[in-house]
Amino acid sequence: MQGDTLKKIVKTGIIIAAVILIISIAGNVFIRSIEKNLSYLPEMEIKDPDLIQIPDGVYKGSYAAFPVIVDVSVTVKNHEITDIEILKHQNGQGKEGESIVNSVMQKQSLQVDAVSGATYSSIVILKAVENALLKTNK
């Protein structure tokens, strides 16, 4: 009887170890696929829209690079960006990236540095703003 109990304990231990190994491998593969998906962002071109050509109004734009998803509302008045509201920011660890909107409004340009530690979120926010403003010229 003690032999059966010992066999069950060993068998359970092996199963637990196998499950932990499988979860660890799957997690590693998932993290690598996310990094690969986002790796192109720092090299992506962000175009500065010609604010002189943009009429007063509120423009919505979005951009997604899994797992980061951003929806914005951009207000233009007298050919200046007067407000950028982040409507949605699914960000993982990039919440700090939201502060990039202050730089954009201050510089009146999308050619600003990404927020350190939130590079991917910063770039996705910039692309969402770009998409909002470029839609106005169509």
Side-chain angles (χ1 to χ4, degrees), residues 69-109:
I69 301 169
V70 175
D71 293 331
V72 295
S73 173
V74 182
T75 303
V76 174
K77 186 171 183 179
N78 297 322
H79 307 290
E80 289 187 1
I81 300 169
T82 58
D83 187 42
I84 301 171
E85 182 181 354
I86 297 175
L87 305 172
K88 175 182 181 182
H89 183 199
Q90 188 173 317
N91 58 53
Q93 298 176 345
K95 180 83 171 152
E96 295 82 21
E98 293 179 5
S99 66
I100 200 164
V101 300
N102 297 326
S103 299
V104 170
M105 288 190 297
Q106 189 173 50
K107 193 171 179 184
Q108 292 296 301
S109 171

